Structure formats: C-alpha cells, structure tokens
Amino acid sequence: MADLQSQIEELWARAGELGPSDVDALEVVNQAIEMLDKGEARVAEIDAETGEVVVHSWLKTAILLLFRLRSIATTELGQFEYADKLPLKRGYQEAGVRVVPGASARWGSFLDRGVILMPSYVNIGARVGAETMVDTWATVGSCAQIGARVHLSGGVGIGGVLEPPNAAPVMVGDDAMIGSRCMVTQGARVGEGAVLGEGTILNPSIPVIDAETGEELGRGSVPAWSVAVGASRRREFPGGEFFMPCVLVLKRLDPGQRHDKAQLEAVLREQQVST
Ligand SMILES: CC(C)(COP(=O)(O)OP(=O)(O)OC[C@H]1O[C@@H](n2cnc3c(N)ncnc32)[C@H](O)[C@@H]1OP(=O)(O)O)[C@@H](O)C(=O)NCCC(=O)NCCS
C-alpha cells in the first residue's frame, strides 16, 4: 500500500499535466479506488488512542485524479440517459447489501454487509458500516464515514469533502440514529450511539450545549450515547439580537442503550445473509 500511496502522490504532484489519454496513470488510480470500493482502505478513521480523526489524504487525491483521468460517458436505462465520469457500484448480492430501486452508490464507496439502501445516494469515498440503514432520500457525501448499525433517516444530508484534500470528512459512530432531514456537514462528528432529533444542523461552527449544565461541550461534535436536538440561542450583534442555531444535549444514555424512539425493527433489516 505504501508503494501505491507514493505513486498516487507522484501523480498528484503533476496532476495538471494528466488527462484521459494517460492510461498508465489511470491504472494506478483504479487500484486505489478499487481498495476503497472493497473496504480494504478508508479515507479517514478515528485514532483509537487520541480519539482524533486521521485523514488519509492520498486516497482523497486518488479520487480527484480519477475525475481528471476519466472521460464522460453516456449510459442509458430505458428512457433515462446519464452522462458521468464514474461508474456505479456492482455486485450487491454477493456483498450482502440490499439496494432498493432508485438508490445509487458510486464505485469507490464501500457498503459493508447487511447495509440497506432505500432510494438514496452514496458518493465515492464514503464508507457505510455493517447493517446500517440509509433511508429514503438520504445522501451520504463523498468520503463520509458512517458506522455500523446506524440509521440515517429519510432525507438526511451527510456532507461530503473532496476539497481541500486534508479536510476531515463527517464521521458518524456505530449505533447512532440521525433523525429525518438532519444536515451533518463539514467534518462534523456524531458519537457512537448518539440520537439526533429531526432537522438538526450540525457543523464545526455550531456549539453543542449540555441542557443540564449549560456548558458548551464543543462545536460540531455530539457526544457518544446522548440525545441531542437542534435549538437556538440568543446572540447580540452590533445590528441587534438574533437567534443562532445550536445543538442541545437533552440527555445521556447508558452505553449500549437505545432510546425508545430509536429502536430498530429486525424484520426490515433481515437480509438472509450472515453479517
Ligand atoms: C430526538 C428524540 C429521540 C427525542 O425524543 P423524546 O422522547 O421527545 O426525548 P426525551 O424524552 O428525551 O425528551 C426530553 C424533552 O425534550 C423535548 N424535546 C425532545 N425533542 C425535541 C425537539 N426536537 N424540539 C423541542 N423539544 C424537544 C421533549 O418534549 C421533552 O420535553 P419535556 O421534558 O418537557 O416533556 C426523538 O424525537 C427522535 O427519535 N427523533 C428522530 C425521529 C426520526 O427522525 N425518525 C425517523 C424515522 S425514518
């Protein structure tokens, strides 16, 4: 992998000269994207010791190079016509993934066993953990890292990050439940087992406040095993008083506990595959 990394870095250094005729460069980049697609490599992960996000930016640059090295091609499906540079993922049944018509995931995203895609979208570089449900009209942006047994409810928008290459993607921990129409963007983090109420907006500028103590817990990061909802707080500006968004942590859960409203229905997740 170190060799592949240095080849990608060398290509990135002269990206401006490359184009669709550089088949050797494309061959190298394809190897990196195939690793992402199979889940053998990931764009970002959490360092178990420090708890910080580590971004493997060479994999992000491989994705950017892919856009430079591939040409647009037209695909037709019945009366639908598409023109894109990237192919879609394939081989869902062998991968133990259920994909409902209307869903699409790009090649170079990874869907672990037991994932269910309702009509939704998963972009390149994203990683979705085992048994996670990506509900209708949810979008998982490029390079976003979603844990196992997560529920991304209907219409959730998980932001993507391809530029700049060292920007951290959104990280959602195992067992989290993201309520309908939430927007989680720009490297925001949702801890393991956390529940986000409907419509919550979370980004690294938005303060997360403990409703019990009033303490600001940080920005853009919801603690593990907590229930948090979108709220607003009064702020003074030279132009007057305005209500600005914040996220309020309403309660703490015991590790492993699921909030009553975040319980999962097994029959919806049954895949007849071992996970
Ligand atoms: C976030 C969620 C867990 C909160 O559930 P809850 O049972 O109301 O939570 P709690 O019991 O912890 O409520 C604590 C208090 O906060 C209030 N509260 C909870 N969510 C709130 C919200 N979004 N806005 C304002 N107040 C809220 C409750 O009314 C309650 O107030 P009270 O103590 O005065 O009665 C729940 O609304 C949820 O699961 N939302 C996501 C649902 C969803 O998107 N499902 C998708 C299906 S596809």
Side-chain angles (χ1 to χ4, degrees), residues 125-139:
R127 185 182 174 102
V128 181
E131 295 175 65
T132 282
M133 165 83 83
V134 183
D135 226 324
T136 304
W137 290 349
T139 52

Side-chain angles (χ1 to χ4, degrees), residues 60-198:
K60 282 173 77 179
T61 55
I63 296 171
L64 294 171
L65 284 165
L66 187 70
F67 280 96
R68 188 165 271 282
L69 293 166
R70 283 185 64 107
S71 311
I72 289 196
T74 293
T75 337
E76 286 183 38
L77 175 71
Q79 62 177 319
F80 293 96
E81 181 188 305
Y82 303 95
D84 192 17
K85 289 187 165 189
L86 308 188
L88 296 177
K89 265 186 100 61
R90 303 184 65 85
Y92 290 120
Q93 204 162 350
E94 308 86 88
V97 171
R98 183 148 68 90
V99 179
V100 172
S104 38
R106 271 175 154 173
W107 176 57
S109 61
F110 174 63
L111 307 175
D112 210 341
R113 290 188 87 72
V115 164
I116 297 169
L117 294 190
M118 295 302 285
S120 57
Y121 191 76
V122 181
N123 207 347
I124 189 167
R127 185 182 174 102
V128 181
E131 295 175 65
T132 282
M133 165 83 83
V134 183
D135 226 324
T136 304
W137 290 349
T139 52
V140 183
S142 56
C143 305
Q145 307 287 300
I146 311 296
R149 301 170 302 280
V150 169
H151 187 166
L152 299 180
S153 304
V156 162
I158 302 289
V161 269
L162 278 176
E163 319 164 277
N166 62 348
V170 169
M171 310 290 287
V172 175
D174 294 347
D175 299 296
M177 146 78 188
I178 313 289
S180 296
R181 283 352 189 227
C182 285
M183 280 187 274
V184 182
T185 58
Q186 298 180 56
R189 285 179 63 175
V190 177
E192 235 185 307
V195 180
L196 273 195
E198 298 91 323

Side-chain angles (χ1 to χ4, degrees), residues 179-263:
S180 296
R181 283 352 189 227
C182 285
M183 280 187 274
V184 182
T185 58
Q186 298 180 56
R189 285 179 63 175
V190 177
E192 235 185 307
V195 180
L196 273 195
E198 298 91 323
T200 304
I201 298 178
L202 184 70
N203 71 40
S205 305
I206 293 189
V208 177
I209 296 168
D210 190 315
E212 286 276 312
T213 61
E215 182 196 353
E216 184 177 318
L217 301 169
R219 294 190 172 213
S221 181
V222 168
W225 306 106
S226 68
V227 177
V229 296
S232 57
R233 60 175 187 158
R234 201 167 31 221
R235 294 286 305 277
E236 298 230 6
F237 292 90
E241 257 185 13
F242 298 91
F243 285 86
M244 298 287 287
C246 66
V247 169
L248 207 52
V249 175
L250 290 178
K251 64 157 90 159
R252 304 297 181 136
L253 302 167
D254 294 329
Q257 182 190 350
R258 279 224 178 235
H259 190 286
D260 300 347
K261 293 187 180 167
Q263 297 294 339

